[in-house]
Structures are given as structure tokens and as C-alpha cells.
């Protein structure tokens, strides 16, 4: 049960605000990194961290008698609580985008695992599946074999 009329000292509000800030930073960094590396697992971790912190912070806000605390520390805590709400929203958005991208690519991954033919994955990853040479790359264009420079006319740049 949640205790009612909990009285927290100014130091406890400051400590809770710092804790919420650290948790929010961990969660938002994990959500951002999950868009490039880690995918669904890392964004799921981000949602769990932000959700647990948000639930605990909401419980403290509802059960605390904030009239007895100094306004500066109470405002710091409520600002950290508001940032945590935004972090939770960003983490959920990152998870939704990662799940959508996984759902988009999953049929091609299954086909690759069944057949061993990587041409379906090459099409999604931007490589030209019709050319069998190792010089071709969808991002840099079809290379002329000259090494580091892409050929003119068919380059991304």
C-alpha cells in the first residue's frame, strides 16, 4: 500500500530528483542508441527502465504532502518527473519504430534463412542484387574497380 501524507525532507526531494534525472538519461540514451544498434531489445530495456522509474515517481507524487517541502526542491522533483514522462514517450516511440522495422524486414530474413540466397537481403540493404560482382554496392553506386572512388553518374554522392 502507498502511504498517505508522506513528508520528505528537502534533501530527499533533491536525491529523488537526481535519481529521476539519471534514470531518464539512461533511458533516453538507450532509446536513441537502439535506433542504430540493439534494436528491439535495447529499446525494450529503455521502456522498462523508464516505466519502472515513472511508476515509482508517480507513486511518490501521489503520496507526498508537497506543501511542507521547499518550493525549489519540489519544483526540481516535478521537473524531473515531467522529463521522465517525455523520456517514457520517446522510449515507447523507439520501441514502436524498431518493432515496425523488424516486422518489415522479417520475411526477407526468413527467406534468406530457408534458401541461403542473400539477394533478398541485398535488395533491402541497398545492394544491387542483379549484379554478381563484388565491385557493386548500392550505397556507393556500381564501382569501376578503381578502388576508393565511386564511378561517375551512378554514385550516391
Amino acid at each position: 500500500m502507498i502511504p498517505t501524507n508522506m513528508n520528505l525532507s528537502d534533501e530527499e526531494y533533491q536525491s529523488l530528483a537526481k535519481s529521476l534525472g539519471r534514470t531518464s538519461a539512461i533511458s533516453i540514451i538507450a532509446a536513441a542508441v537502439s535506433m542504430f544498434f540493439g534494436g528491439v531489445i535495447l529499446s525494450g530495456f529503455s521502456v522498462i527502465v523508464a516505466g519502472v522509474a515513472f511508476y515509482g515517481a508517480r507513486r511518490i507524487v501521489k503520496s507526498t504532502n508537497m506543501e511542507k517541502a521547499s518550493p525549489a526542491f519540489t519544483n526540481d522533483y516535478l521537473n524531473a518527473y515531467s522529463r521522465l514522462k517525455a523520456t517514457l514517450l520517446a522510449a515507447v516511440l523507439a520501441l514502436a519504430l524498431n518493432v515496425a522495422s523488424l516486422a518489415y524486414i522479417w520475411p526477407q530474413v526468413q527467406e534468406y534463412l530457408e534458401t541461403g540466397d542473400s539477394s533478398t537481403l541485398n535488395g533491402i540493404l541497398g545492394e544491387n542484387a542483379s549484379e554478381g560482382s563484388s565491385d557493386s554496392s548500392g550505397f556507393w553506386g556500381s564501382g569501376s574497380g578503381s578502388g576508393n572512388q565511386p564511378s561517375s553518374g551512378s554514385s550516391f554522392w
Side-chain angles (χ1 to χ4, degrees), residues 16-31:
L16 288 171
K18 286 181 182 178
S19 175
L20 288 180
R22 283 189 299 267
T23 304
S24 182
I26 290 169
S27 182
I28 199 71
I29 289 170

Side-chain angles (χ1 to χ4, degrees), residues 55-74:
Y55 175 73
R58 187 181 69 175
R59 189 178 63 184
I60 290 172
V61 166
K62 286 184 176 182
S63 67
T64 323
N65 187 359
M66 293 194 179
E67 289 85 27
K68 295 186 179 187
S70 71
F73 291 119
T74 305

Side-chain angles (χ1 to χ4, degrees), residues 72-91:
F73 291 119
T74 305
N75 286 338
D76 285 347
Y77 181 75
L78 292 177
N79 287 338
Y81 178 66
S82 296
R83 283 191 306 269
L84 188 58
K85 285 184 198 177
T87 299
L88 182 60
L89 181 64

Side-chain angles (χ1 to χ4, degrees), residues 71-157:
F73 291 119
T74 305
N75 286 338
D76 285 347
Y77 181 75
L78 292 177
N79 287 338
Y81 178 66
S82 296
R83 283 191 306 269
L84 188 58
K85 285 184 198 177
T87 299
L88 182 60
L89 181 64
V92 167
L93 180 64
L95 179 63
L97 289 173
N98 281 321
V99 167
S101 65
L102 181 65
Y104 175 74
I105 197 171
W106 189 249
Q108 286 80 13
V109 170
Q110 281 183 326
E111 184 177 335
Y112 169 69
L113 291 175
E114 290 173 0
T115 64
D117 182 22
S118 65
S119 63
T120 57
L121 286 179
N122 291 342
I124 288 178
L125 298 175
E127 295 181 10
N128 191 352
S130 64
E131 294 182 19
S133 70
S134 63
D135 291 339
S136 67
S137 170
F139 184 75
W140 293 109
S142 59
S144 60
S146 62
N148 295 335
Q149 298 179 355
S151 65
S152 61
S154 64
S155 173
F156 177 75
W157 302 105

